[in-house]
Amino acid sequence: MVIEAYLALLRENPQVPTAAQVAERAGYSVRSVFERFPDLHALRLAATDYALGQANSNSLTSGFDGDRQTRVKAHVERRARTCTEWLPLWRAVNANKGDSEEIGTRIHFVRTATVKRIELMYRPELSAVPERESRQIVLAIEAIIDFESWARMRDFFGLPYEEACAVWIEAIDRLLPPTPADS
């Protein structure tokens, strides 16, 4: 409940919540929060690990089959949901990455997992080009589908969810080489 309270507060307000705010939201005393987590850093790590578990259980098991259009659409929709749900935590974690090697490790894990998923989703197209070109395409797609890219489209430019997804779909489709005929 403490982790869920922390995450709910982050979604409501971009400021990292205080122990008192988390305790109030969770229905606990501040002392109870610190009995479970020695400090707010430990709570942030636990919330990050919780989010990673949730994201991994939802993202690595499907969507790799189908034609190009189906795969791109499935990938973008899954990534858009992830960005919508976890952007506040991602920002809180990144704001504090200099404070902790553990946070840096988790950020690296998320970025690596994102790259691996891109490589799996677009294996047919990426296998049709030299390795260096394939790597550049993967890195460009990773940059396009970054949390902050989603936030800019939605918050700064005011794009509706569906239109923001359409922007990503079009950008990815343009970056990918042609799908080999036998795929």
Side-chain angles (χ1 to χ4, degrees):
M1 289 181 67
V2 172
I3 290 172
E4 289 175 5
Y6 177 84
L7 292 171
L9 288 164
L10 275 177
R11 286 183 184 108
E12 293 170 10
N13 185 337
Q15 298 299 318
V16 176
T18 65
Q21 291 168 323
V22 172
E24 182 180 341
R25 175 61 65 93
Y28 291 124
S29 67
V30 173
R31 181 178 175 171
S32 293
V33 170
F34 288 118
E35 286 172 351
R36 288 162 180 76
F37 302 96
D39 54 32
L40 289 177
H41 174 70
L43 174 55
R44 186 177 315 111
L45 281 175
T48 303
D49 290 342
Y50 173 81
L52 289 173
Q54 294 289 310
N56 280 337
S57 69
N58 294 329
S59 70
L60 294 176
T61 58
S62 64
F64 305 112
D65 299 326
D67 63 17
R68 175 185 178 128
Q69 182 180 6
T70 301
R71 287 181 289 116
V72 172
K73 186 175 187 291
H75 180 226
V76 165
E77 288 174 352
R78 181 171 285 122
R79 183 64 182 170
R81 285 190 306 270
T82 298
C83 288
T84 298
E85 185 171 359
W86 299 114
L87 176 65
L89 178 62
W90 180 253
R91 284 179 167 166
V93 167
N94 272 280
N96 294 284
K97 68 184 172 192
D99 298 343
S100 162
E101 184 177 317
E102 296 148 321
I103 293 284
T105 299
R106 279 142 177 102
I107 291 169
H108 181 76
F109 174 82
V110 169
R111 292 201 183 280
T112 300
T114 301
V115 165
K116 295 271 187 236
R117 181 158 184 83
I118 292 166
E119 292 169 343
L120 288 171
M121 291 299 293
Y122 308 118
R123 180 177 285 156
E125 293 79 14
L126 296 171
S127 68
V129 296
E131 187 176 328
R132 183 172 187 274
E133 185 178 345
S134 173
R135 183 73 175 156
Q136 290 173 344
I137 293 166
V138 168
L139 296 180
I141 292 172
E142 192 277 337
I144 288 168
I145 63 167
D146 184 67
F147 282 96
E148 291 302 328
S149 167
W150 184 252
R152 277 189 305 281
M153 288 192 302
R154 300 279 287 136
D155 300 338
F156 184 76
F157 293 109
L159 295 182
Y161 184 93
E162 294 77 17
E163 192 174 337
C165 285
V167 168
W168 274 0
I169 289 168
E170 180 69 22
I172 291 169
D173 192 53
R174 286 179 181 211
L175 275 171
L176 289 173
T179 304
D182 58 271
S183 292

